[in-house]
Amino acid sequence: QVQLVESGGGLVQSGGSLRLSCAASVRTFTAYVTAWFRQAPGKEREFVAHFWNDNNTGYADSVKGRFTISRDNTKNTVDLQMNSLKPEDTAVYYCALKRISTTRYPYWGQGTQVTVSS
């Protein structure tokens, strides 16, 4: 069974930084697309960033230049470095995995709360 555990969330002042980490229990980590999503209260879940194949990454326009996704294949972890945080970044952040050949994300973590105060 695939299991994902997020950590690193918390409360930070506007302009500050946080680093989220997701530990994945999988056999072949590189066979998956790894991604971060977030959901603010009263809003739909939205894509933040993803990492696939060897070193392919992509970001939502709202976080480009501020967030960086990275992967450690020896530890089966994917991180999200968040800099220059804004109050609108406040949300529950979720780690997700899917096979490269599939269209949906079947594996999700429980989420970690990120709160940015102004």
Side-chain angles (χ1 to χ4, degrees):
Q1 184 68 254
V2 175
Q3 294 183 343
L4 306 174
V5 180
E6 301 104 331
S7 62
L11 175 64
V12 66
Q13 192 173 6
S14 180
S17 299
L18 281 175
R19 188 178 184 88
L20 307 183
S21 183
C22 173
S25 179
V26 294
R27 290 188 176 183
T28 308
F29 192 51
T30 55
Y32 295 88
V33 177
T34 54
W36 287 95
F37 292 80
R38 67 186 183 186
Q39 187 168 23
K43 295 187 176 181
E44 294 183 26
R45 183 174 58 197
E46 65 175 350
F47 165 81
V48 175
H50 59 177
F51 194 126
W52 75 103
N53 288 336
D54 291 329
N55 285 296
N56 297 311
T57 60
Y59 299 89
D61 288 340
S62 60
V63 306
K64 284 183 178 178
R66 299 189 298 120
F67 291 11
T68 303
I69 188 171
S70 60
R71 173 191 274 180
D72 187 336
N73 292 327
T74 65
K75 297 180 179 179
N76 284 10
T77 58
V78 57
D79 289 2
L80 185 69
Q81 178 66 46
M82 305 184 295
N83 298 326
S84 301
L85 284 163
K86 307 173 181 179
E88 51 263 45
D89 294 318
T90 295
V92 177
Y93 284 71
Y94 298 91
C95 177
L97 267 66
K98 73 176 183 72
R99 286 279 187 173
I100 295 173
S101 60
T102 61
T103 59
R104 63 181 289 270
Y105 284 88
Y107 309 113
W108 295 83
Q110 292 299 307
T112 185
Q113 177 70 48
V114 172
T115 303
V116 184
S117 64
S118 59

